[in-house]
Amino acid sequence: MLLRAPIFHTPKNPFYQDHALEVFEDGAIYISEGKIADLGDYNDVRRRHPDSPSRDLRDGVILPGFIDTHIHFPQVRVMGGLGMTLLEWLEHNTLPEEAKMSDYPYASSVAQEFLHNLLINGTTTALVFGCHFETGQRAFFEAAKASKLRIISGMVLSDRMLLESLHQTPQAAYQASKELIREFHQKDRLLYAVTPRFSLSASEAILEVCQSLHEEHQALRFTSHINENDREIATVKELFPWARDYLDTYERFGLVHEHSVFAHNVHPHEDELRRLSAAKAAVSHCPCSNAALGSGIFPMLRHVKARVKFSLGTDVGGGTGFGLAKEALQSYFLQHLSVEGYELSPNHLLYLATKAGAEALGLVDVGDLSVGQAADFIYLRPPQGSAFASVLKHAEDSERMLAAIFTLTSAESVAEVWVGGARLH
Ligand code: GUN
Ligand code: ZN
């Protein structure tokens, strides 16, 4: 199958490399056996595949599938809680909802809503914070497997503070995690992520469980929260008197490595940035959530200078929706307004919403549309008569087109979503 459309992707990292964006204004991709088998200007690709069936998609654009590196499945129904900071919001809105995930049918219906929203927003890969219960997490993995999206997730571990009905004993956490890893890790498009909620609600014993799981299984991912909110950070400091800083509470247990993704990191020390970089660990930047919960403005420039990898996370339900384009735009706004902000271009926004996620998650075959990559991509077509349609049609060059895409895209513009060469939406 050959698809003709304007095509944008960022095979290189615009924070450190020139010419990171590659654009084919009248482009084509040729898909074979689930992969991008050819990419280029339409005339060239057509010449190389003269007999292939083709579709003309020139009323829209093709981009790589979006990659969300921080989002919570059990929080779909609590989005939109304004007027609170992190710990109040957890207590009043979020944790009571998460307690319902012990019920398989309830968790299953939330999981369906969640995965449907990933899909219709063009997110083809996501690192998903799970729930605190083995049953609910199984419901999620089963739905994720059926969705055919690329999902990395794990049961959330906690044994102190917050809501007591969410706690496990370290022993129960270990056993349930082992069982879920056996059933779902590296099955179809699923990977398992060891997921303590954050050090605030994790004892040393449960962080040791996380360490053991990593020692006993290959290719597990790790995710948690870090340096999000002042009160959270102060509490972690009290709970771990021996720790140099927040990162150290994970580091001591071998949890900071090239397959670790830490959400937020709004208030890092310089030394934490240095150690994250040395460990090749990644940060998930969640600008909508950081604004909604009043957590602060992400110090992007400091991350860039320290060469810490970062990508985007919507952080539903602290965040405000599933759209990675909106998340990228919010990142642009906040950096633009901040005194020490990073001046982001549309190229950076595309990179952050796609390839940066693949790099954070250690996935080498997604995130861009180079030949040989998995055919994970989206076809954006502005609704007829929309402002997005007029802007795209009259954009003077590809940079303006890309800026318009990030400013004006919403789920209504996501016309098709393809994963592994199959159209899912
Ligand atoms: N820190 C611990 N749990 C959460 C959560 O659910 N959302 C956010 N934004 N931060 C957290
Ligand atoms: Zn979160």
Side-chain angles (χ1 to χ4, degrees):
M1 170 65 77
L2 191 154
L3 304 177
R4 180 180 192 179
I7 297 170
F8 296 77
H9 72 151
T10 44
K12 290 192 271 180
N13 181 340
F15 288 96
Y16 305 110
Q17 291 166 289
D18 294 332
H19 312 295
L21 176 72
E22 187 170 49
V23 185
F24 300 98
E25 286 183 10
D26 182 13
I29 49 172
Y30 176 68
I31 305 153
S32 171
E33 294 177 0
K35 295 193 158 129
I36 310 284
D38 202 353
L39 165 76
D41 290 324
Y42 169 74
N43 287 333
D44 298 336
V45 177
R46 178 86 267 182
R47 205 175 315 111
R48 293 194 284 266
H49 306 280
D51 303 323
S52 168
S54 74
R55 290 174 60 207
D56 187 341
L57 304 179
R58 281 179 292 173
D59 51 358
V61 302
I62 287 175
L63 306 181
F66 291 135
I67 299 183
D68 192 334
T69 56
H70 186 71
I71 182 161
H72 296 248
F73 104 77
Q75 297 180 6
V76 188
R77 298 180 184 178
V78 300
M79 265 189 292
L82 301 179
M84 284 169 278
T85 54
L86 175 66
L87 300 178
E88 301 151 358
W89 173 81
L90 284 173
E91 183 186 340
H92 297 294
N93 287 29
T94 308
L95 301 180
E97 171 70 7
E98 293 206 23
K100 298 180 191 164
M101 302 298 150
S102 58
D103 180 54
Y104 184 96
Y106 189 86
S108 215
S109 75
V110 171
Q112 302 286 352
E113 288 172 17
F114 175 86
L115 292 157
H116 175 72
N117 276 282
L118 284 183
L119 180 65
I120 64 171
N121 280 280
T123 298
T124 52
T125 297
L127 173 58
V128 180
F129 239 78
C131 70
H132 290 261
F133 305 97
E134 185 180 349
T135 41
Q137 190 59 31
R138 178 169 292 108
F140 177 69
F141 271 131
E142 285 168 357
K145 196 169 185 179
S147 77
K148 297 197 157 63
L149 296 169
R150 297 185 202 276
I151 299 294
I152 307 177
S153 185
M155 185 172 118
V156 181
L157 308 183
S158 265
D159 64 346
R160 67 171 166 199
M161 318 271 287
L162 307 184
L163 192 62
E164 217 171 293
S165 62
L166 300 178
H167 294 174
Q168 314 99 354
T169 62
Q171 183 59 23
Y174 175 75
Q175 268 160 3
S177 302
K178 292 289 275 189
E179 186 51 35
L180 291 165
I181 290 168
R182 190 186 64 72
E183 281 179 66
F184 298 108
H185 181 49
Q186 296 178 312
K187 300 289 157 63
D188 297 349
R189 291 174 178 157
L190 306 179
L191 288 172
Y192 196 87
V194 174
T195 311
R197 189 166 198 119
F198 54 168
S199 297
L200 185 145
S201 70
S203 70
E204 294 182 25
I206 220 158
L207 293 169
E208 274 169 17
V209 166
C210 297
Q211 181 166 32
S212 303
L213 293 170
H214 275 290
E215 284 163 6
E216 292 163 18
H217 298 274
Q218 295 293 310
L220 292 179
R221 285 1 186 214
F222 176 82
T223 193
S224 196
H225 297 92
I226 198 165
N227 290 325
E228 178 177 1
N229 163 286
D230 293 339
R231 263 181 65 209
E232 168 215 12
I233 296 167
T235 310
V236 168
K237 195 171 168 153
E238 280 169 27
L239 291 169
F240 293 88
W242 49 259
R244 286 178 281 179
D245 46 39
Y246 202 145
L247 187 67
D248 202 17
T249 64
Y250 299 118
E251 229 167 9
R252 267 320 150 88
F253 300 95
L255 303 173
V256 183
H257 49 70
E258 64 178 327
H259 287 153
S260 304
V261 178
F262 293 96
H264 303 287
N265 210 29
V266 176
H267 309 286
H269 294 294
E270 215 45 45
D271 200 54
E272 290 177 295
L273 292 174
R274 185 186 62 70
R275 280 149 41 219
L276 282 166
S277 171
K280 300 189 168 62
V283 167
S284 183
H285 167 38
C286 309
C288 288
S289 164
N290 292 344
L293 294 173
S295 303
I297 297 183
F298 181 67
M300 188 177 287
L301 184 61
R302 290 175 59 208
H303 283 71
V304 174
K305 283 186 178 159
R307 296 186 92 93
V308 179
K309 281 189 282 187
F310 59 94
S311 53
L312 287 174
T314 56
D315 196 26
V316 164
T320 61
F322 284 75
L324 257 301
K326 180 173 104 172
E327 205 65 43
L329 183 68
Q330 177 78 358
S331 172
Y332 169 82
F333 286 158
L334 287 166
Q335 292 302 314
H336 197 51
L337 284 170
S338 160
V339 179
E340 304 222 316
Y342 191 96
E343 216 40 62
L344 292 166
S345 71
N347 306 357
H348 292 97
L349 303 191
L350 180 61
Y351 169 77
L352 285 173
T354 59
K355 179 84 174 173
E359 288 172 349
L361 300 174
L363 303 175
V364 294
D365 60 344
V366 297
D368 67 274
L369 303 174
S370 303
V371 172
Q373 294 294 76
D376 287 18
F377 61 90
I378 59 178
Y379 166 45
L380 297 179
R381 187 186 53 214
Q384 264 193 353
S386 64
F388 185 18
S390 355
V391 177
L392 205 58
K393 191 166 168 200
H394 297 105
E396 280 173 11
D397 56 37
S398 52
E399 175 140 352
R400 295 246 191 122
M401 266 173 101
L402 197 55
I405 288 167
F406 278 96
T407 311
L408 297 166
T409 295
S410 61
E412 289 69 46
S413 316
V414 180
E416 296 183 18
V417 180
W418 295 63
V419 178
R423 184 174 161 185
L424 303 184
H425 171 57

